């Protein structure tokens, strides 16, 4: 991807895919930690593979955010509602939701029960925009 035009308004929406409750960071940690509750080694391996893929998504979303926010003008920052984020992080990539809530481990569960954990995975993946 090669986004050439800054768009802080769009970045405000996309950032939730990085650090929001159903974003890629939560997904990667969800799968990685839930694998330990699985008794079947093949299932553990699949969850490890999925967690690794979700980390690749973290990289992709971060690259998109970087490209959408680099070279922003002060006018764009103010007009597009990016000022609150900019005050705390400038144009750095920081995992948070669209609401401004920073990423928290409370966004995912790991109960140790395979059915419960896999149901939570399905619910989180179904909530993605």
């Amino acid at each position: 991807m090669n986004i050439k035009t800054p768009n802080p308004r769009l970045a405000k929406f996309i950032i939730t895919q990085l650090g929001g409750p159903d974003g890629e960071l939560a997904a990667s940690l969800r799968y990685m930690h839930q694998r330990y509750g699985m008794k079947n080694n093949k299932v553990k391996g699949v969850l490890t593979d999925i967690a690794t893929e979700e980390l690749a998504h973290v990289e992709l979303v971060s690259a998109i955010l970087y490209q959408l926010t680099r070279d922003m003008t002060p006018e764009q920052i103010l007009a597009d509602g990016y000022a609150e984020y900019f005050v705390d992080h400038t144009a750095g990539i920081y995992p948070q939701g669209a609401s401004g809530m920073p990423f928290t481990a409370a966004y995912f569960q790991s109960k140790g029960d395979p059915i419960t954990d896999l149901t939570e995975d399905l619910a989180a993946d179904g909530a993605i925009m």
Side-chain angles (χ1 to χ4, degrees):
M1 80 204 84
N2 191 10
I3 302 167
K4 297 186 188 292
T5 306
N7 189 335
R9 182 172 298 191
L10 181 57
K12 281 182 59 177
F13 291 100
I14 292 176
I15 200 154
T16 202
Q17 290 301 314
L18 174 62
D22 298 313
E24 303 299 340
L25 185 57
S28 65
L29 294 173
R30 174 181 297 114
Y31 290 115
M32 184 58 67
H33 290 88
Q34 288 175 354
R35 72 177 293 283
Y36 294 100
M38 301 299 163
K39 293 180 175 37
N40 183 295
N41 285 334
K42 288 184 181 181
V43 175
K44 285 181 185 181
V46 168
L47 291 178
T48 301
D49 290 346
I50 294 170
T52 302
E53 183 65 26
E54 296 295 345
L55 284 172
H57 297 167
V58 168
E59 181 183 19
L60 290 171
V61 173
S62 296
I64 290 168
L65 290 168
Y66 169 74
Q67 291 178 24
L68 287 171
T69 57
R70 73 171 172 223
D71 302 326
M72 294 180 291
T73 66
E75 293 78 20
Q76 286 174 311
I77 293 167
L78 291 172
D80 291 337
Y82 209 72
E84 293 83 7
Y85 179 94
F86 192 82
V87 165
D88 289 337
H89 310 290
T90 63
I93 306 304
Y94 178 78
Q96 69 178 44
S99 66
M101 174 69 88
F103 176 79
T104 173
Y107 285 159
F108 71 94
Q109 288 295 325
S110 181
K111 295 292 190 179
D113 175 69
I115 300 300
T116 301
D117 286 346
L118 293 173
T119 300
E120 199 256 350
D121 297 341
L122 291 170
D125 278 339
I128 294 176
M129 304 187 308

